[in-house]
Amino acid sequence: MSVEVNRFKCGYCGACVGVCPKGALELIETWIEVDDSCTSCGICARICPVGALEVKVK
Amino acid sequence: MKDRYDVIVVGAGPGGSITAKTCAEGGLDVLMIEKRQEIGDPVRCAEGVGTDALLKHIAPDKRWIAAEVKGSRIIAPDGTEILMSSDAAMKDVGYTLERKVFDRVLAQKAAMAGADVMVKTRATGLLRNNGKVAGIKAMYMGEMHDIKADIVIGADGVESKVGRWGGIDTSLKPHDIETCAQFLISNFDPGEYSEFYIGEKYSAGGYVWIFPKGGYTANVGVGILGSKSGKIRAITLLQKFVETTIPDGKIIEMVVGGVPVSGPIERTVTDGLILVGDAARQSDPLTGGGITNAMDAGKIAGEVCIMAKEKGDYSVRTLKEYEDKWRATIGKEISRALKVKNLLIKLSDEQLNQLAHSLDGVDVSTMELPKLLAVLLKKNPKLLWGLGSLF
C-alpha cells in the first residue's frame, strides 16, 4: 500500500475513489481500502476535502 | 436469496431508486442493492433542488422537505447581491431536502412497485457470459454471491466502479471534481433564500452555499475545484467562512463529498450495462446539482430496460437509446453548464464584481439562471466572449 488513510480524519465520502486513475481505491462502509495497483500518484491526497490521505514514499 | 433477475441496480440513491421503480412498474424482475446498511445516510449532498424538476417524479411530502426556498441570492466578492429565481407569485421555487428521508422514501417506492432491495450488499465485480455483462458478484454480510441479470445499472455514485469494470473509464481528473465540505449549522436564521458566495475570496473554482434547512438551521458548505485543492482544502475554507460570517452558529453535523463536474462523458452504456446519475457524471457542472438529473436519467434507463426486455436484446444496439435520450434532454443543459463553468472559473474577483454591477437597475428577481446569463452576456459581451452561441 502506498497511500495511507487516516481513518480518524476520513469522512468516507468516496471522492478519492472517483479520482483514482487506477481504480485502486474502494469505499467500504466507513473506510477506504487501497489495493496494490496504487502508483502513489497522489491525486487522491490532493482532492481529499479533509486531508485524510497521505502518499507514502516507498 | 434469488440468484437471477432481469435487471440489477447497483446503488440506492435517487437515480438507482427511480430506475428500479420504473423497471418494476414495467413488469421487470429487478433487484436494487446498496452497499451501506442504511439508505440515504451518510448524506453527501447540499440537498438543494428545484421544485419544477423534482415534482415531475414525486409528489411533495412534508417528511422530506426540510425547507421551502423563495429563490436564490448570489453574493459577489465585494458583497453586491443578485436576487434571482424567485417566482413572481412568490411560490416556492426550491426545496432543501432531508436526504436521509427522501432517499429512503424513493427506495420504498421502488420496493412497493415490486423491486427487491438488498442493503449491506456491495458489488465487487461483474459476471460475464461470452464476454457480455451477465450480472454481478456481490458481498452480503461478508459472504460472496453471484447474482445473474441481463442488464446491470451502475448508479453507484461519484466513486462508481461499475463503469470501470465494464470498460468505461469514469475516473475523474482533479479539474473534473468539486471537493466539498459542509456543516449543518444551528442557532442561525438563514432567511428564505438559498445563498451562493462566489469568487476566489471564498473558494477557487467553486462557491460557498447557505441553504436554509428549517428551524434555525442551514446547510453551509463549500466546494473547491479539485485542481485547486491541496494546500488549501474544502474543510479549511469552510471553517474560515463560518468563523467570520456565522460566528454564533453551532455545528451539529458534518458532511463531505465529491461532485463530478466533468460534463458529459464519452459513453454511458455498453453491452448489458447502463450508468446513471453521478456514476455517469450527469451532475450539473455549474451548480453541482445532481438529484433531478439522476432521476431523469433513471426514468429513461428504466424505460430502455423495459424495451430491451421486450426485444430480448441487451446489447449496446438497444441500450444506446438511453444514451441518445439523456444526451438530447439533460445532456444539453449539462453541456451548456460546463461551458459557462469553464468561463466563469477563469474570471477574477474584480471581473465577477463587474458582472454583478452590470445588473444595476435590471430586475432579474424572477429570472432563472439561463435567462440571467443571457442578460449578463448582453451587458458584458467582452468579458463573457465565447458564450454567445449558448444563449
Side-chain angles (χ1 to χ4, degrees):
Chain A
M1 181 167 65
S2 41
V3 143
E4 207 161 71
V5 187
N6 183 342
R7 283 189 63 183
F8 302 100
K9 237 184 191 185
C10 173
Y12 39 94
C13 72
C16 55
V17 182
V19 296
C20 177
K22 296 288 170 191
L25 304 178
E26 173 80 323
L27 170 62
I28 302 166
E29 295 279 342
T30 55
W31 71 93
I32 297 290
E33 286 200 344
V34 188
D35 72 26
D36 50 20
S37 61
C38 170
T39 62
S40 305
C41 73
I43 294 176
C44 56
R46 190 166 149 201
I47 65 92
C48 176
V50 295
L53 293 99
E54 206 177 321
V55 178
K56 279 206 311 194
V57 184
K58 276 185 191 170
Chain B
M1 191 184 299
K2 269 171 61 174
D3 63 359
R4 186 175 161 96
Y5 287 87
D6 294 322
V7 176
I8 297 173
V9 180
V10 179
S17 282
I18 295 289
T19 312
K21 175 171 167 276
T22 307
C23 286
E25 284 169 349
L28 301 192
D29 211 5
V30 54
L31 168 69
M32 176 166 71
I33 67 166
E34 168 54 50
K35 68 180 171 183
R36 297 218 26 122
Q37 54 195 8
E38 56 281 271
I39 289 170
D41 196 18
V43 173
R44 306 191 303 207
C45 179
E47 302 181 299
V49 69
T51 48
D52 288 349
L54 180 70
L55 300 180
K56 282 189 291 179
H57 294 283
I58 186 168
D61 185 336
K62 289 253 176 285
R63 285 181 298 165
W64 46 254
I65 300 170
E68 294 161 345
V69 297
K70 300 253 180 262
S72 302
R73 184 181 292 120
I74 300 174
I75 296 101
D78 68 358
T80 307
E81 296 187 0
I82 304 164
L83 195 68
M84 57 176 282
S85 286
S86 54
D87 189 90
M90 289 307 279
K91 74 168 199 226
D92 300 313
V93 296
Y95 297 136
T96 309
L97 300 176
E98 189 64 77
R99 285 285 303 270
K100 286 169 195 171
V101 180
F102 180 72
D103 286 30
R104 189 148 52 169
V105 166
L106 287 181
Q108 201 221 345
K109 284 185 184 293
M112 293 294 283
D116 282 351
V117 181
M118 284 175 72
V119 295
K120 214 172 173 67
T121 305
R122 180 171 62 96
T124 62
L126 296 173
L127 298 175
R128 291 192 180 268
N129 190 2
N130 295 325
K132 282 187 181 157
V133 175
I136 59 166
K137 294 177 197 295
M139 185 186 268
Y140 169 65
M141 296 284 289
E143 276 180 29
M144 292 300 302
H145 300 270
D146 286 356
I147 315 173
K148 296 191 188 75
D150 296 319
I151 302 173
V152 174
I153 307 287
D156 48 340
V158 67
E159 76 263 41
S160 177
K161 282 292 179 70
V162 171
R164 298 190 197 219
W165 294 329
I168 303 172
D169 180 12
T170 55
S171 67
L172 294 162
K173 303 272 185 298
H175 60 262
D176 287 336
I177 190 168
E178 289 283 335
T179 160
C180 308
Q182 173 178 280
F183 295 141
L184 175 58
I185 297 209
S186 181
N187 195 37
F188 165 57
D189 181 5
E192 293 183 303
Y193 285 79
S194 294
E195 292 188 330
F196 301 85
Y197 293 76
I198 58 167
E200 201 157 353
K201 180 181 171 187
Y202 301 107
S203 164
Y207 62 83
V208 167
W209 65 84
I210 300 180
F211 292 173
K213 202 144 177 215
Y216 292 94
T217 65
N219 284 336
V220 181
V222 60
I224 174 171
L225 200 62
S227 51
K228 311 268 187 187
S229 167
K231 283 197 184 91
I232 306 163
R233 291 186 191 278
I235 189 76
T236 35
L237 288 173
L238 178 60
Q239 285 161 339
K240 192 178 114 192
F241 179 83
V242 170
E243 276 164 22
T244 52
T245 315
I246 317 172
D248 295 330
K250 308 274 171 78
I251 299 163
I252 56 173
E253 189 177 77
M254 179 174 155
V255 167
V256 285
V259 180
V261 291
S262 59
I265 54 173
E266 209 179 313
R267 60 194 176 110
T268 55
V269 296
T270 179
D271 291 328
L273 190 151
I274 295 177
L275 298 178
V276 166
D278 278 12
R281 310 324 189 191
Q282 286 161 336
S283 36
D284 185 300
L286 183 60
T287 64
I291 299 166
T292 55
N293 281 354
M295 293 170 84
D296 284 5
K299 186 93 195 322
I300 300 168
E303 286 162 359
V304 169
C305 287
I306 294 164
M307 190 189 68
K309 170 82 177 176
E310 278 165 10
K311 280 194 191 172
D313 176 28
Y314 310 102
S315 74
V316 74
R317 275 191 310 279
T318 300
L319 302 190
K320 195 177 165 295
E321 178 139 347
Y322 165 74
E323 187 106 72
D324 295 341
K325 277 195 174 156
W326 82 256
R327 285 187 199 279
T329 51
I330 55 170
K332 282 194 173 157
E333 275 305 312
I334 297 169
S335 298
R336 187 162 77 166
L338 178 68
K339 287 183 183 133
V340 176
K341 178 207 84 170
N342 285 342
L343 200 143
L344 288 183
I345 61 172
K346 286 190 198 122
L347 299 183
S348 66
D349 284 10
E350 191 41 51
Q351 289 171 316
L352 290 171
N353 291 335
Q354 263 181 55
L355 287 183
H357 297 162
S358 75
L359 294 173
D360 279 352
V362 186
D363 181 15
V364 298
S365 64
T366 58
M367 288 181 194
E368 290 187 13
L369 195 54
K371 186 95 185 288
L372 177 80
L373 288 165
V375 173
L376 282 171
L377 176 66
K378 211 169 174 187
K379 293 192 164 279
N380 307 271
K382 245 180 165 170
L383 208 54
L384 298 178
W385 192 83
L387 292 188
S389 56
L390 294 175
F391 297 96

